[in-house]
């Protein structure tokens, strides 16, 4: 069984990974190789991303975060892996997701407010995700409206895409009954 978590970061993706690992489903512990695919994703070079996934695909059962959570990438995954299961992890609403994202970045970056002028590789990376992947303006990478729109659009498009395919499980980890969806 192969499972791709295609929900945005900060929607319980790491918690899902931990849950599946406890159930003896394996996942990469480090996503560094996958994170290096960011520029290829931004340029639309999805085949390069898929090639790396193919190299590691047989070793693991569960994949999450980057690039699996990026908008539209689930379509490329589905072309290659139509028999896999796809989990859309969500928050109660986009406001809650945005707040979680901002809390995380404030903890992660000492110079949170200076992301407009990234200096470290990690800051450059996050700046690209916020602006090139999620569509925040270059001069306002934490733009609440744009980021929340990206989150909402992603969730809506994922649901529409999988509507007739029967391979999508939507999970909100703050809803206890949603754990039951994962047992089927």
């Amino acid at each position: 069984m192969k499972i791709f978590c295609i929900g945005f970061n900060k929607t319980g993706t790491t918690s899902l990974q931990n849950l599946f690992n406890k159930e003896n489903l394996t996942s990469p512990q480090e996503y560094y190789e996958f994170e290096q695919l960011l520029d290829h994703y931004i340029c639309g070079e999805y085949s390069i991303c898929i090639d790396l996934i193919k190299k590691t695909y047989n070793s693991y059962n569960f994949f999450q975060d980057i690039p699996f959570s990026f908008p539209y990438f689930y379509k490329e995954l589905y072309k290659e892996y139509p028999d896999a299961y796809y989990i859309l992890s969500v928050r109660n609403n986009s406001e809650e997701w945005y707040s979680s994202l901002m809390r995380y970045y404030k903890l992660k970056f000492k110079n949170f407010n200076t992301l407009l002028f990234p200096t470290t590789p990690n800051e450059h990376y996050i700046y690209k995700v916020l602006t090139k992947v999620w569509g925040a303006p270059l001069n306002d990478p934490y733009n609440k409206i744009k980021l929340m729109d990206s989150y909402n659009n992603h969730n809506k498009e994922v649901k529409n895409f999988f509507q007739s395919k029967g391979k999508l499980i939507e999970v909100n980890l703050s809803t206890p009954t949603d754990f039951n969806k994962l047992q089927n």
Side-chain angles (χ1 to χ4, degrees):
M1 174 177 21
K2 301 296 182 179
I3 303 167
F4 294 103
C5 182
I6 56 176
F8 271 18
N9 304 49
K10 308 316 299 167
T11 59
T13 58
T14 303
S15 296
L16 282 170
Q17 179 180 6
N18 293 336
L19 175 72
F20 284 123
N21 286 344
K22 286 179 185 174
E23 297 297 320
N24 295 319
L25 293 174
T26 58
S27 62
Q29 295 305 306
E30 292 294 325
Y31 279 82
Y32 180 76
E33 279 187 282
F34 294 121
E35 290 172 354
Q36 300 311 304
L37 298 172
L38 177 62
D39 289 330
H40 295 293
Y41 170 84
I42 290 170
C43 292
E45 298 169 337
Y46 301 134
S47 63
I48 293 171
C49 301
I50 294 293
D51 287 344
L52 176 62
I53 293 164
K54 283 180 182 178
K55 288 179 186 175
T56 60
Y57 184 77
N58 289 331
S59 301
Y60 302 107
N61 303 103
F62 181 75
F63 299 86
Q64 53 98 6
D65 280 346
I66 295 167
F68 311 100
S69 62
F70 285 167
Y72 312 111
F73 193 64
Y74 58 89
K75 292 178 182 180
E76 298 300 316
L77 286 170
Y78 187 80
K79 283 181 203 173
E80 198 65 39
Y81 306 108
D83 294 329
Y85 288 93
Y86 296 83
I87 296 176
L88 177 62
S89 52
V90 299
R91 292 278 184 159
N92 289 324
N93 55 57
S94 57
E95 180 81 39
E96 186 179 290
W97 170 77
Y98 180 82
S99 295
S100 176
L101 187 71
M102 292 303 106
R103 275 192 310 276
Y104 176 75
Y105 287 158
K106 285 179 183 175
L107 288 172
K108 189 167 182 78
F109 301 117
K110 292 178 184 175
N111 300 319
F112 172 78
N113 293 323
T114 63
L115 192 59
L116 239 150
F117 306 103
T119 56
T120 68
N122 206 11
E123 288 174 348
H124 280 284
Y125 188 87
I126 296 303
Y127 180 79
K128 282 184 182 180
V129 170
L130 292 169
T131 59
K132 304 283 187 187
V133 175
W134 291 340
L138 296 175
N139 64 346
D140 186 9
Y142 298 126
N143 185 289
K144 184 176 184 176
I145 303 283
K146 290 289 188 183
L147 292 175
M148 287 176 28
D149 282 349
S150 183
Y151 170 84
N152 287 329
N153 288 337
H154 175 74
N155 292 346
K156 179 181 173 186
E157 289 171 5
V158 165
K159 291 175 199 177
N160 286 340
F161 179 80
F162 282 99
Q163 188 172 16
S164 63
K165 295 176 177 47
K167 291 290 186 174
L168 182 69
I169 303 167
E170 183 177 342
V171 174
N172 180 338
L173 293 182
S174 68
T175 306
T177 56
D178 277 8
F179 284 98
N180 296 335
K181 295 177 185 179
L182 300 173
Q183 294 175 346
N184 299 332

